[in-house]
């Protein structure tokens, strides 16, 4: 009998693996709706949905291995990183989904969220004030008009699976929707700056690298406190706090 592996678990949701089946347990059915609909529309490889019985969604494992892991050097080839960039470009060029993204807001709303989070990081002595101030200044680059694209919304390197130089599947679509294309590129390369050029080469379009780097600061600033409060370690080598320090 297959063992049950806890992939991720916190107060909002949990993902379990039993053999080649992943069971996603989420009481927010709107989030599951987004995941199901996004996988149906996305022009890239996605997992097969086996069944859905709220609050559980069962999906099949995709072949291959993750492109990498945050905090660890990636063993994937340059061709695999370029293929990931090409897959993201196909997604961004696809027709917009009929819903807005769950995460990303307009510039004014995002600026207010950043300012509030930065104040908490300093007031609660989670991060040094100079580190927060420097990265908040860098983050200003993302606060500009942008053309909405069909975005994954949480395109962590662990969510992209490869076999050699081929993309075999992209998982975890619950944050998908209309968003800033450069946010996806930044999320994919967070903590893996050395592969940014390969991703951009595969993406095949003019990319403002300063905005991508600014999104690294934004995602890290907004993630540190949540991660720490939900049992993750943003202070681990190569993770979010190190990303912020690399901007100093």
């Amino acid at each position: 009998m297959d063992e049950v592996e806890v992939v991720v678990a916190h107060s909002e949701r949990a993902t379990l693996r039993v053999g080649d089946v992943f069971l996603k347990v989420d009481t927010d059915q709107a989030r599951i709706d987004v995941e199901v609909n996004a996988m149906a529309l996305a022009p890239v490889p996605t997992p097969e949905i086996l069944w859905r019985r709220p609050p559980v969604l069962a999906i099949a494992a995709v072949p291959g291995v993750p492109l990498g892991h945050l905090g660890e050097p990636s063993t994937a080839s340059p061709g695999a990183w370029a293929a990931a960039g090409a897959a993201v470009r196909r997604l961004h060029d696809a027709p917009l989904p009929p819903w807005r993204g769950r995460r990303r807001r307009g510039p004014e709303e995002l600026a207010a969220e950043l300012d509030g989070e930065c104040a908490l990081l300093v007031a609660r002595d989670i991060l040094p004030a100079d580190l927060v101030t420097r990265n908040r200044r860098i983050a200003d680059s993302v606060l500009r008009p942008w053309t909405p694209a069909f975005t994954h919304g949480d395109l962590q390197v662990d969510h992209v699976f490869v076999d050699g130089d081929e993309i075999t599947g992209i998982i975890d679509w619950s944050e998908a929707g209309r968003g800033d294309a450069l946010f996806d590129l930044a999320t994919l390369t967070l903590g893996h700056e050395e592969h940014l050029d390969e991703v951009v080469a595969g993406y095949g379009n003019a990319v403002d690298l300063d905005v991508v780097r600014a999104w690294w600061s934004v995602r890290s600033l907004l993630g540190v406190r949540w991660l720490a409060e939900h049992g993750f370690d943003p202070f681990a080598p190569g993770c979010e706090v190190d990303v912020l320090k690399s901007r100093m």
Side-chain angles (χ1 to χ4, degrees):
M1 182 175 179
D2 291 316
E3 293 184 353
V4 176
E5 174 191 356
V6 178
V7 179
V8 63
H10 50 77
S11 60
E12 295 182 6
R13 60 188 118 163
T15 300
L16 311 176
R17 179 169 186 166
V18 185
D20 289 331
V21 177
F22 286 89
L23 303 175
K24 307 191 75 169
V25 184
D26 195 328
T27 57
D28 184 348
Q29 289 306 292
R31 190 156 44 206
I32 295 296
D33 289 341
V34 166
E35 179 148 15
V36 170
N37 292 333
M39 288 194 291
L41 295 174
V44 295
T46 60
E48 177 189 1
I49 297 175
L50 302 175
W51 48 264
R52 180 182 181 184
R53 297 169 192 160
V56 182
L57 174 68
I59 60 176
V62 297
V65 296
L67 187 61
H69 302 285
L70 184 61
E72 301 177 11
S74 171
T75 59
S77 68
W81 282 92
V88 176
R89 177 65 185 274
R90 289 197 299 275
L91 176 66
H92 291 168
D93 285 346
L96 290 173
W99 65 90
R100 68 177 296 193
R102 292 170 56 89
R103 277 183 183 238
R104 298 279 67 88
R105 276 73 61 191
E108 292 184 1
E109 189 177 356
L110 179 56
E113 182 185 8
L114 267 171
D115 289 340
E117 190 63 30
C118 288
L120 286 174
L121 290 171
V122 175
R124 298 183 182 181
D125 201 26
I126 299 173
L127 292 176
D130 61 339
L131 183 64
V132 173
T133 299
R134 169 62 176 161
N135 279 275
R136 176 62 186 87
R137 188 177 302 121
I138 292 171
D140 276 337
S141 294
V142 311
L143 305 176
R144 86 285 180 220
W146 43 268
T147 301
F150 187 166
T151 58
H152 180 280
D154 191 23
L155 196 63
Q156 300 177 48
V157 67
D158 301 78
H159 293 166
V160 179
F161 281 70
V162 298
D163 183 0
D165 292 346
E166 179 185 356
I167 302 301
T168 56
I170 299 177
I171 66 172
D172 285 3
W173 291 82
S174 61
E175 306 292 344
R178 303 181 183 202
D180 182 353
L182 298 188
F183 177 72
D184 270 355
L185 294 180
T187 304
L188 179 63
T189 55
L190 183 77
H192 292 279
E193 184 172 0
E194 68 276 12
H195 295 293
L196 178 58
D197 288 344
E198 296 157 3
V199 170
V200 170
Y203 193 75
N205 196 17
V207 173
D208 190 329
L209 298 182
D210 286 339
V211 174
V212 172
R213 295 185 178 104
W215 271 122
W216 291 340
S217 291
V218 173
R219 182 171 177 110
S220 298
L221 286 170
L222 294 180
V224 166
R225 185 171 61 88
W226 186 94
L227 290 166
E229 291 176 351
H230 287 78
F232 302 98
D233 185 7
F235 292 86
C239 294
E240 286 79 5
V241 175
D242 275 356
V243 170
L244 294 173
K245 289 178 179 178
S246 72
R247 303 298 100 198
M248 297 294 286

